[in-house]
Amino acid sequence: MDNIASQISSTERSSIAPMDPDHQGDPYKNLENTLFVLKKHSRIHPFPSFNQRLTLLTKLQHALLSYEEALLKALTSDYGQRAPEESRLIELIPALGEIKHAKRHLSHWMRSQSRRPHISIFPAKASVMYQPKGVVGIISPWNYPILLSLSPLVGALAAGNRVMLKASEFCPATNSVLRQLLEESLSEEWVAFVEGEVEVANAFSQLPFDHLLFTGSTQVGKQVMANAAQHLTPVTLELGGKSPVIVSPSANPKTAAESILFGKLINAGQTCVAPDYILCHRQQKPALIHHMKQTLARMYPNGIDSPDYTCLINEKQMSRLTGYLDEIEQQQICYENLMPQGPKWKENKLALHLLHQPDEQLKVMQEEIFGPILPLLLYNDLSEAIAYINVRPRPLATYLFSQNTKEHREVETGMVCGGLVINQTLLHVAQADLPFGGIGESGMGMYHAIEGFHTFSHTKAVLHKKRPNMIRLLMPPYKKHIHKLLKRYWRFL
């Protein structure tokens, strides 16, 4: 750190202003200065060694373990109610798993790949190396403020980058702990933690990063991409959309009901890959609803008053969801509260409501629900369900419940989505060796596993020409023998 600081001239140092915590000054200028310092470090040490990267990941791992209780308390504070067991399950354990997976495979990921140069330039050696891009910007959301901050951070650090992390303003308590965790484990040479509201996030996405990853809504993702385009900054967009569940005639309705409710009500449905709506085979509907009611009564015996039922993050989200229900009542759409053991809603808690065959023009069928409302549509043939999904924006996740391998294959090959899970929901996100990402309106690019390492790396071709250099025989002036040689080579190709 001292060596780097000494290489920054006095003129340059005077132009570097500290971050204004109250954002009273120009937020873009403050962010720009922070980026300038990180880029300085990146240019001086453009290729951190394996040991340096491993050390960073290990420090982050130890800090996450030591701050476990503080993070759990902060999450409960920000949400109002969120069971520590749930936060540990959906945030801390997957984040820790990502760190350990990256450490285990880092040496392999960093290894250059040999390629075969064409015989025409023999003797030569060809390879592909994975170069750190430089400084990566990460914009994380409020719904999983720890996991969706640390998971891309792990990939970026493993790839040898510096990082600017913009956290959501809706989780101030979690941000305070996360900032302390990062400052203690990773110096300012590697990570800068940024907070602020909409104007700061907008300025952040306009910075000339070497790569930018955004997690959030499709609408905001479009604006982030437009901002990044000013500098031709490559982007990874982790968005959302409407992730469907298909319940086939061969499905076990009890297993399907339990798995759907697990995915739908973890974090009160505030998950980008939460089941958004069900496409249920007509003959399965009665059994599915029966098992859903039984499962809910077991999971939450006091309804939304149960201590394990998570709050919505704020009143804005509650108002949005109750607005969907108001529109449904006005349109006289049939719906039911599947949790009669307690109130339908109170404070920032909303019971799970099942909508029966809702009209396609309703907002709840046009927008990502992101909460405990679950539309149920009926179909007669699996091809009908696949066609329904295929004419809509490509989903971030699709869930199929089926015991028929032919149906598995039909869904695997018959539609395009970010990820497919058969006979379960959500669990693919927590698999450290599987890539995660959307396609189309559900996202662009991916991270996690080796694919995340590649996302944050520049794949650089390296060609080493050895002696003798026969290419000089093909240089101008082009004589008759060169013409014949090239004609023969053309026929050979």
Side-chain angles (χ1 to χ4, degrees):
M1 183 68 184
D2 292 334
N3 291 336
I4 293 176
S6 67
Q7 295 180 53
I8 302 176
S9 69
S10 58
T11 303
E12 290 171 326
R13 190 177 294 120
S14 66
S15 70
I16 301 172
M19 283 296 297
D20 180 354
D22 298 319
H23 308 295
Q24 296 297 317
D26 180 351
Y28 185 85
K29 194 64 180 176
N30 290 331
L31 295 169
E32 194 176 39
N33 291 336
T34 303
L35 177 60
F36 172 83
V37 175
L38 287 173
K39 286 205 169 190
K40 220 21 171 171
H41 291 304
S42 178
R43 284 195 296 270
I44 295 170
H45 296 296
F47 198 91
S49 68
F50 165 76
N51 286 334
Q52 285 177 305
R53 303 184 201 191
L54 189 65
T55 298
L56 292 171
L57 294 172
T58 301
K59 286 182 176 180
L60 185 60
Q61 177 184 357
H62 292 164
L64 183 57
L65 290 169
S66 64
Y67 276 86
E68 176 191 12
E69 292 301 325
L71 288 169
L72 293 175
K73 289 179 181 177
L75 287 166
T76 300
S77 173
D78 284 330
Y79 272 83
Q81 184 168 323
R82 199 207 224 189
E85 294 81 4
E86 185 164 293
S87 292
R88 188 180 282 109
L89 174 67
I90 64 177
E91 299 227 50
L92 302 192
I93 290 175
L96 195 59
E98 291 243 7
I99 297 172
K100 294 181 73 173
H101 182 81
K103 289 175 61 179
R104 189 179 302 120
H105 297 279
L106 183 59
S107 62
H108 172 69
W109 293 350
M110 289 180 65
R111 198 173 301 150
S112 294
Q113 292 184 2
S114 296
R115 299 293 176 92
R116 296 183 65 179
H118 195 271
I119 193 173
S120 62
I121 64 167
F122 184 82
K125 180 181 178 182
S127 64
V128 168
M129 70 172 292
Y130 298 101
Q131 182 86 37
K133 286 187 173 181
V135 181
V136 172
I138 296 171
I139 304 178
S140 63
W142 53 262
N143 60 323
Y144 286 74
I146 297 172
L147 178 62
L148 297 182
S149 295
L150 296 188
S151 182
L153 174 63
V154 169
L157 291 175
N161 299 284
R162 273 70 178 174
V163 175
M164 279 181 70
L165 171 59
K166 165 63 178 73
S168 170
E169 68 273 22
F170 296 120
C171 301
T174 304
N175 290 349
S176 177
V177 179
L178 199 55
R179 176 189 288 276
Q180 190 175 347
L181 182 157
L182 293 174
E183 288 177 350
E184 181 180 298
S185 59
L186 308 171
S187 72
E188 59 185 12
E189 176 185 345
W190 292 97
V191 178
F193 190 83
V194 178
E195 295 181 77
E197 299 191 7
V198 175
E199 71 277 6
V200 175
N202 188 54
F204 189 96
S205 63
Q206 296 180 55
L207 294 171
F209 291 111
D210 299 297
H211 194 98
L212 177 62
L213 182 142
F214 167 80
T215 304
S217 70
T218 300
Q219 181 181 359
V220 178
K222 292 178 180 178
Q223 183 59 52
V224 167
M225 189 171 182
N227 289 345
Q230 299 175 44
H231 301 288
L232 297 180
T233 300
V235 296
T236 299
L237 301 177
E238 299 299 342
L239 308 177
K242 303 185 76 63
S243 295
V245 177
I246 302 173
V247 180
S248 86
S250 68
N252 180 321
K254 184 175 185 293
T255 299
E258 291 173 344
S259 300
I260 292 169
L261 292 176
F262 169 78
K264 185 64 176 177
L265 292 182
I266 278 284
N267 204 30
Q270 300 166 117
T271 304
C272 59
V273 289
D276 192 274
Y277 63 95
I278 301 174
L279 291 166
C280 182
H281 191 273
R282 191 172 297 276
Q283 71 184 36
Q284 288 277 33
K285 180 180 178 181
L288 181 68
I289 295 177
H290 169 74
H291 286 294
M292 288 176 75
K293 290 178 178 178
Q294 283 195 334
T295 302
L296 281 169
R298 186 174 68 252
M299 291 172 65
Y300 307 106
N302 297 319
I304 64 174
D305 284 333
S306 300
D308 295 330
Y309 197 83
T310 301
C311 287
L312 301 169
I313 188 69
N314 53 36
E315 291 181 5
K316 179 181 177 182
Q317 296 301 318
M318 184 70 174
S319 177
R320 178 181 62 83
L321 292 168
T322 54
Y324 289 153
L325 295 179
D326 290 341
E327 184 185 23
I328 289 163
E329 285 187 349
Q330 292 170 8
Q331 297 294 325
Q332 297 183 332
I333 302 295
C334 180
Y335 75 98
E336 61 179 311
N337 171 19
L338 295 183
M339 304 174 72
Q341 296 85 357
K344 289 185 178 181
W345 59 73
K346 62 183 290 188
E347 298 172 348
N348 285 342
K349 285 188 173 185
L350 177 65
L352 178 63
H353 286 69
L354 186 72
L355 315 183
H356 296 272
Q357 209 68 27
D359 188 276
E360 285 297 315
Q361 302 308 312
L362 293 170
K363 282 185 178 180
V364 75
M365 295 303 293
Q366 298 294 318
E367 301 172 356
E368 182 179 8
I369 296 173
F370 224 63
I373 298 176
L374 187 57
L376 187 146
L377 308 172
L378 300 177
Y379 72 90
N380 296 306
D381 184 81
L382 184 58
S383 61
E384 180 186 346
I386 294 173
Y388 180 92
I389 297 169
N390 280 342
V391 297
R392 286 161 177 77
R394 289 169 169 173
L396 182 55
T398 298
Y399 304 111
L400 170 66
F401 290 90
S402 164
Q403 303 300 320
N404 186 311
T405 54
K406 182 180 178 183
E407 291 174 342
H408 299 175
R409 183 64 177 166
E410 192 174 348
V411 173
E412 286 176 9
T413 60
M415 56 175 294
V416 180
C417 60
L420 172 66
V421 182
I422 299 172
N423 293 323
Q424 189 48 267
T425 60
L426 257 63
L427 295 187
H428 65 300
V429 179
Q431 305 309 302
D433 203 23
L434 279 179
F436 178 74
I439 181 169
E441 290 197 22
S442 63
M444 175 185 299
M446 58 186 63
Y447 67 119
H448 294 190
I450 191 172
E451 286 81 5
F453 178 85
H454 289 164
T455 288
F456 297 120
S457 301
H458 169 60
T459 305
K460 183 163 70 177
V462 179
L463 181 66
H464 179 197
K465 182 70 181 78
K466 300 179 180 180
R467 294 182 178 181
N469 186 2
M470 306 302 292
I471 296 298
R472 63 185 180 82
L473 300 177
L474 300 177
M475 297 172 66
Y478 298 120
K479 298 182 180 179
K480 191 173 182 180
H481 73 278
I482 295 179
H483 175 75
K484 290 181 178 180
L485 179 63
L486 292 175
K487 289 286 283 185
R488 290 175 182 171
Y489 184 57
W490 175 258
R491 294 192 189 101
F492 170 77
L493 289 176

